[in-house]
Coordinates of all heavy atoms in Angstrom, one line a residue:
G402 N -38.2 53.9 -37.7 CA -39.4 53.2 -37.3 C -40.5 53.7 -38.2 O -40.3 54.4 -39.2
G403 N -41.7 53.2 -37.9 CA -42.9 53.5 -38.6 C -43.2 54.9 -38.7 O -43.6 55.5 -39.7
N404 N -43.0 55.7 -37.7 CA -43.4 57.1 -37.7 C -42.6 57.9 -38.8 O -43.1 58.8 -39.4 CB -43.1 57.8 -36.2 CG -44.1 57.5 -35.3 OD1 -45.3 57.1 -35.6 ND2 -43.7 57.6 -34.0
I406 N -41.3 56.7 -41.5 CA -41.8 56.2 -42.8 C -43.1 56.9 -43.1 O -43.3 57.3 -44.2 CB -42.0 54.6 -42.8 CG1 -40.5 54.1 -42.6 CG2 -42.5 54.2 -44.2 CD1 -40.4 52.5 -42.5
N407 N -43.9 57.0 -42.1 CA -45.3 57.6 -42.3 C -45.1 59.2 -42.6 O -45.8 59.6 -43.4 CB -46.1 57.4 -41.0 CG -47.5 57.9 -41.1 OD1 -48.1 57.7 -42.3 ND2 -48.1 58.2 -40.1
Y412 N -47.3 55.7 -47.5 CA -47.4 54.2 -47.6 C -48.3 53.6 -46.4 O -48.9 52.6 -46.6 CB -46.1 53.6 -47.4 CG -45.1 53.8 -48.4 CD1 -43.7 53.7 -48.2 CD2 -45.4 54.1 -49.8 CE1 -42.6 53.8 -49.2 CE2 -44.5 54.5 -50.7 CZ -43.1 54.2 -50.4 OH -42.2 54.5 -51.4
C413 N -48.4 54.4 -45.3 CA -49.1 53.8 -44.2 C -50.6 53.9 -44.3 O -51.3 53.2 -43.5 CB -48.6 54.4 -42.9 SG -46.8 54.3 -42.6
E414 N -51.1 54.8 -45.1 CA -52.5 54.8 -45.4 C -53.0 53.6 -46.0 O -52.6 53.1 -47.0 CB -52.9 56.0 -46.3 CG -52.6 57.4 -45.9 CD -52.6 58.4 -46.9 OE1 -53.2 58.1 -48.0 OE2 -51.9 59.4 -46.7
C416 N -52.5 50.6 -44.9 CA -51.7 49.4 -44.5 C -52.5 48.6 -43.5 O -53.1 49.2 -42.7 CB -50.3 49.9 -44.0 SG -49.3 48.5 -43.4
A417 N -52.2 47.3 -43.5 CA -52.9 46.4 -42.6 C -52.3 46.6 -41.2 O -53.0 46.3 -40.1 CB -52.7 45.0 -43.0
Y418 N -51.1 47.1 -41.0 CA -50.6 47.3 -39.7 C -50.9 48.8 -39.3 O -51.0 49.7 -40.1 CB -49.1 47.3 -39.8 CG -48.6 45.9 -40.0 CD1 -47.9 45.5 -41.2 CD2 -48.7 44.9 -39.1 CE1 -47.6 44.2 -41.5 CE2 -48.2 43.6 -39.4 CZ -47.7 43.2 -40.5 OH -47.2 41.9 -40.8
D419 N -50.9 49.0 -38.0 CA -51.2 50.3 -37.5 C -49.9 51.0 -37.0 O -49.2 50.4 -36.1 CB -52.1 50.1 -36.1 CG -52.5 51.6 -35.5 OD1 -51.9 52.5 -35.8 OD2 -53.5 51.5 -34.9
V420 N -49.5 52.1 -37.8 CA -48.2 52.7 -37.6 C -48.1 53.3 -36.2 O -46.9 53.6 -35.8 CB -48.0 53.8 -38.7 CG1 -48.9 55.0 -38.5 CG2 -46.5 54.2 -38.8
C429 N -47.2 48.2 -36.4 CA -46.3 48.3 -37.4 C -45.1 47.7 -37.1 O -44.4 48.0 -36.0 CB -46.1 49.8 -37.7 SG -44.6 50.0 -38.8
P430 N -44.6 46.6 -37.8 CA -43.4 45.9 -37.3 C -42.1 46.7 -37.3 O -41.2 46.4 -36.5 CB -43.3 44.8 -38.4 CG -44.2 45.1 -39.6 CD -45.2 46.1 -39.0
F431 N -42.1 47.8 -38.1 CA -40.9 48.7 -38.1 C -40.6 49.3 -36.7 O -39.5 49.6 -36.4 CB -41.0 49.8 -39.1 CG -40.7 49.3 -40.6 CD1 -41.7 49.0 -41.4 CD2 -39.4 49.3 -41.0 CE1 -41.4 48.5 -42.6 CE2 -39.1 48.9 -42.3 CZ -40.1 48.4 -43.1
Ligands
LIG618 S1 -47.6 50.9 -41.0 FE1 -47.3 49.6 -42.8 S2 -46.7 50.9 -44.5 FE2 -46.4 52.1 -42.6 S3 -44.3 51.6 -42.0 FE3 -45.6 50.2 -41.0 S4 -45.5 48.3 -42.4 FE4 -44.8 50.1 -43.5

Side-chain angles (χ1 to χ4, degrees):
N404 280 341
I406 296 168
N407 192 27
Y412 298 156
C413 303
E414 294 164 22
C416 178
Y418 294 110
D419 186 340
V420 73
C429 168
F431 280 95

